[in-house]
Amino acid sequence: AQRVLIAPPASLTRQWQRELASKFLLSFSRAVSGAVVRHEIIHPVKETVPAVSLFSPDLCIVSTGLVSRPARQAQLKGATPFDIVLVDEAHYARRKNPGKGARTSPQFGNLYRVMQDTLRPKTACLWMATATPMQLDWIEVFDLLALTDRVGGFQFDPSMTWAYYQALGNLVRNND
């Protein structure tokens, strides 16, 4: 992989940068918010450098908050594609209305929509990570898997498609 974007919550960006530098000797540029676009580098020497875009360095860390801002979407869409995009704390991308399963249209938050509409098309591999134990509804797991475009043998199973669940939901509502 030549181009890698790591998108953790803002509170974890420094930790990601420190651990990648200390454990793997990787020099990731961390986007620093502000009026002027700039990146902080800590390895091999600490420095802050101006940047054309938040997404211009080949190895960059940009918080999910910055990635999700509407003003940054055009920059991301115009950026050179990434080989890998890793979204940390991906459970924050879950739908807002999981209790009704597939019987209702999903209400996705901004992070999910950004992952689906902008990050997924800009990378060969979308990785999602979390170290938080989750009590997920089955539909939330399916939603996150659907973002990968790689659901294995299940991708051809008609019972795993949104259209199937919409039809099933209509059938249940009509029989109520």
Side-chain angles (χ1 to χ4, degrees):
Q2 297 296 312
R3 281 190 45 81
V4 178
L5 168 64
I6 298 177
S11 62
L12 297 176
T13 58
R14 288 181 197 271
Q15 180 182 347
W16 268 98
Q17 187 180 34
R18 281 192 310 267
E19 291 192 19
L20 289 164
S22 66
K23 294 179 178 158
F24 303 104
L25 302 177
L26 292 172
S27 184
F28 271 79
S29 299
R30 184 177 56 84
V32 180
S33 62
V36 177
V37 178
R38 60 195 201 287
H39 285 264
E40 182 180 272
I41 300 165
I42 61 169
H43 178 74
V45 293
K46 186 174 181 175
E47 62 181 323
T48 301
V49 296
V52 175
S53 161
L54 290 178
F55 310 102
S56 57
D58 284 341
L59 301 176
C60 62
I61 299 171
V62 182
S63 73
T64 50
L66 285 175
V67 167
S68 297
R69 286 188 185 165
R72 302 299 183 190
Q73 293 301 295
Q75 258 187 8
L76 182 56
K77 288 178 181 176
T80 303
F82 291 94
D83 299 311
I84 298 170
V85 170
L86 184 147
V87 178
D88 191 17
E89 300 295 336
H91 61 276
Y92 288 127
R94 298 184 333 213
R95 67 169 61 193
K96 306 296 182 207
N97 61 339
K100 295 184 179 179
R103 293 183 290 163
T104 187
S105 295
Q107 293 175 354
F108 294 119
N110 190 41
L111 181 56
Y112 188 95
R113 288 191 304 274
V114 167
M115 289 170 67
Q116 180 180 43
D117 300 339
T118 311
L119 290 175
R120 175 71 233 149
K122 291 304 289 185
T123 187
C125 294
L126 176 63
W127 294 351
M128 293 173 279
T130 184
T132 304
M134 296 185 295
Q135 301 295 321
L136 291 178
D137 189 277
W138 67 270
I139 196 73
E140 293 175 295
V141 174
F142 178 76
D143 292 340
L144 293 174
L145 284 173
L147 286 173
T148 67
D149 287 339
R150 291 172 170 80
V151 290
F154 297 112
Q155 67 185 340
F156 301 113
D157 182 343
S159 71
M160 294 297 285
T161 65
W162 176 242
Y164 173 83
Y165 286 110
Q166 280 183 312
L168 183 61
N170 289 337
L171 180 63
V172 169
R173 276 193 296 277
N174 291 338
N175 288 333
D176 283 346

